[in-house]
Amino acid sequence: MKDYKTTSADSAFEPPSAQDNEDRQLALEYLAEAWNAAEDDAVPSLALAHASLFAALAALVERHGEIAIADLIATLPDRIRCGEYSVTRNLQ
């Protein structure tokens, strides 16, 4: 088995290719279906969000290592404040 872990966020996260974007869109569609099914079964949205974050971070740490993911996570506050993760954005 290959060791895919990297030691810096820069080398671990290059701009996505067109295929990466297609794969991510398909994955998002699957996640949306699973999310909706869980909500239909009365799983609270906040519980789904926490479980999703845990699963995503665990997968990323396994793939890229703790240091690279810690570096990535350190960039999130500014990105969140800039609206990168807002579903509805106010464009100025």
Side-chain angles (χ1 to χ4, degrees):
M1 176 185 282
K2 292 183 180 179
D3 182 9
Y4 292 106
K5 292 184 180 180
T6 56
T7 56
S8 79
D10 291 337
S11 61
F13 300 99
E14 297 175 3
S17 68
Q19 183 61 52
D20 289 337
N21 285 333
E22 288 179 26
D23 292 345
R24 291 174 183 183
Q25 182 60 43
L26 180 60
L28 189 55
E29 291 171 15
Y30 274 101
L31 289 172
E33 287 180 32
W35 190 289
N36 290 337
E39 284 185 328
D40 289 345
D41 290 340
V43 177
S45 293
L46 190 56
L48 289 167
H50 282 275
S52 297
L53 280 172
F54 177 84
L57 289 172
L60 288 169
V61 166
E62 183 176 336
R63 173 70 164 81
H64 298 288
E66 293 166 342
I67 294 170
I69 301 311
D71 290 347
L72 172 70
I73 296 305
T75 70
L76 290 180
D78 289 337
R79 294 167 67 187
I80 291 167
R81 286 184 196 101
C82 289
E84 191 171 330
Y85 295 93
S86 296
V87 175
T88 57
R89 296 187 197 181
N90 294 324
L91 300 178
Q92 299 178 6

